[in-house]
Amino acid sequence: MTLLINTEEARRVLTMDDCLEYLDTAYKDLANKEAVTAPPGGRWDVWVPVGDEKYYVFGTLQGASRRLGVFAMRFKSDIMHYPWEADGQTLDKYCVEPGKYCGLIMLFSIWNGELLAILNDGHIQHMRVGATAGVAANYMARENATSVGMFGSGGMARTYLEAFAKVRKIDYCKVYSPTRANRERYAAEMSDKLDINVIAVDSPDQVTEGTDIVAGCTDSAQPIIHPQYVTAGMHVTPVVPKELPPATVEKFDVVVRHNNGGAEGFFVGEDEEYSGLPAGHFDSSYRGVDRSDSPTLADLVSGKAPGRTSDDQLTCYYNVPGSGLQFAAVALRTYELAKEAGLGRELPTEWFLQDERD
């Protein structure tokens, strides 16, 4: 039987400890050619302008692990646009109507090709990104790091802080996002969830004062972690490259990239049809600053490259979006746990088979 697992069922069973364990193993396997992520740059996006400075975007990525015995494909279908707000342009997206989204993971057995599960990606998406940042922080943040500065107050900001609190003894976090109600809600919820002191601050420059780990988890279309915000001994990680301007990247002593490529876009229409996008959007969102000479996360966790070698170093995990291997690892663990708990809806596997060879 093929198991259909929704977001709430995934939320009930999947833990950050599970994600950290499975992803650390998956990246070691990637370094040793026992796993793969495709495309190598992380993700393929197809863009179609649909009018009113809105764009249909279909994104897909894949990954497989021989040790885990699975292949996964994740895809998402979005209408995207970039409205102007008080602090500049931000990304907004939806499927069908605002507040609704379509992201699915197909999980297959590599041993017989069976479709094991179809999963909504909502909770898994946030957990796999936050956990990967946590894996990197475990190798790169100072051992005595106790504080976090967080830009952003959405789902990614929640899983990033949860992951940091798993790999370091975090005592407090300072959070800033432009909307006061959002940052105050985040502070209250995360204080209660993690039993640490989370403080909502009123300006971006306050976020990094005296903090050991700094993370960007925003929808901003402009850089947010400026050079004056980072100092010796910090560990810094953006959720997307555009959060770090080149001048900030130049300050880092150690940079580890998520991968050595970057997402790749395919475009319908003429250049002028993309005038609604922020200047330099594709370079800053897909690849960021050229640090292709830097080791990857797989190199780091496998011991092929060093991370931090002194407490004074300013380190960065440079997240370039997209890894199908993340979805293979985390979707498998979600599937295992859902089966154990008797969750999900069973669908006949025969529905997805045919007797005509393609």
Side-chain angles (χ1 to χ4, degrees):
M1 301 294 279
T2 298
L3 201 59
L4 180 64
I5 302 170
N6 66 31
T7 293
E8 289 309 312
E9 290 162 339
R11 197 186 312 277
R12 285 175 60 181
V13 296
L14 183 65
T15 71
M16 184 57 70
D17 286 326
D18 291 317
C19 295
L20 289 166
E21 177 187 351
Y22 272 56
L23 286 169
D24 189 272
T25 298
Y27 280 98
K28 288 185 171 87
D29 288 344
L30 182 61
N32 295 320
K33 298 186 177 180
E34 288 296 311
V36 68
T37 190
R43 192 179 72 231
W44 283 319
D45 288 344
V46 174
W47 289 72
V48 186
V50 294
D52 295 328
E53 295 190 339
K54 293 184 178 180
Y55 309 88
Y56 173 73
V57 183
F58 183 90
T60 182
L61 33 72
Q62 302 88 40
S65 166
R66 183 154 57 184
R67 182 203 298 257
L68 298 177
V70 294
F71 167 91
M73 177 177 66
R74 182 263 192 147
F75 57 87
K76 61 190 184 77
S77 178
D78 294 312
I79 299 296
M80 290 190 180
H81 63 115
Y82 293 80
W84 285 91
E85 297 184 356
D87 284 12
Q89 274 184 290
T90 62
L91 166 63
D92 197 7
K93 58 185 176 180
Y94 63 88
C95 184
V96 180
E97 61 186 14
K100 299 294 184 183
Y101 311 94
C102 178
L104 296 172
I105 307 161
M106 313 284 280
L107 184 70
F108 296 87
S109 166
I110 65 169
W111 306 120
N112 66 359
E114 179 184 1
L115 177 60
L116 301 173
I118 304 170
L119 307 94
N120 285 122
D121 77 346
H123 183 60
I124 293 170
Q125 152 74 353
H126 289 153
M127 291 288 279
R128 59 106 191 180
V129 179
T132 304
V135 169
N138 193 36
Y139 291 86
M140 300 185 75
R142 297 195 325 269
E143 290 290 339
N144 62 351
T146 60
S147 58
V148 174
M150 183 67 66
F151 292 91
S153 57
M156 293 295 188
R158 283 165 166 77
T159 56
Y160 265 57
L161 182 55
E162 183 179 357
F164 296 150
K166 288 290 185 181
V167 301
R168 292 293 184 270
K169 184 174 173 50
I170 301 300
D171 294 329
Y172 73 93
C173 168
K174 294 190 288 185
V175 59
Y176 173 80
S177 65
T179 304
R180 176 185 291 273
N182 290 346
R183 62 183 184 255
E184 290 181 348
R185 184 182 307 113
Y186 175 93
E189 291 177 4
M190 297 308 291
S191 292
D192 183 62
K193 180 174 183 176
L194 301 179
D195 194 26
I196 63 176
N197 187 21
V198 182
I199 307 159
V201 297
D202 294 328
S203 65
D205 57 295
Q206 293 177 278
V207 171
T208 60
E209 292 177 359
T211 51
D212 303 317
I213 299 173
V214 173
C217 294
T218 75
D219 286 332
S220 174
Q222 288 83 33
I224 58 167
I225 305 177
H226 299 288
Q228 64 269 28
Y229 292 168
V230 298
T231 57
M234 282 183 177
H235 173 64
V236 179
T237 179
V239 74
V240 289
K242 61 188 172 187
E243 293 178 319
L244 291 180
T248 301
V249 178
E250 290 172 4
K251 293 188 67 174
F252 296 125
D253 301 305
V254 180
V255 175
V256 170
R257 288 178 62 96
H258 180 209
N259 57 51
N260 264 333
E264 187 171 359
F266 302 87
F267 307 99
V268 171
E270 303 296 334
D271 290 349
E272 56 266 25
E273 295 184 77
Y274 293 89
S275 61
L277 298 179
H281 169 78
F282 294 112
D283 285 340
S284 63
S285 296
Y286 279 40
R287 288 175 172 80
V289 177
D290 182 11
R291 292 299 298 257
S292 56
D293 58 334
S294 301
T296 65
L297 182 60
D299 295 326
L300 177 68
V301 301
S302 65
K304 294 183 177 181
R308 176 182 295 275
T309 57
S310 79
D311 283 352
D312 291 335
Q313 287 178 320
L314 178 57
T315 65
C316 175
Y317 167 57
Y318 197 68
N319 187 40
V320 180
S323 168
L325 181 59
Q326 293 172 338
F327 284 103
V330 177
L332 172 62
R333 187 55 179 151
T334 306
Y335 168 70
E336 293 170 340
L337 293 167
K339 282 190 69 175
E340 291 174 10
L343 297 175
R345 179 180 300 177
E346 290 187 335
L347 305 177
T349 301
E350 289 74 19
W351 287 4
F352 306 97
L353 301 177
Q354 58 188 5
D355 58 10
E356 185 169 339
R357 181 173 174 174
D358 54 18

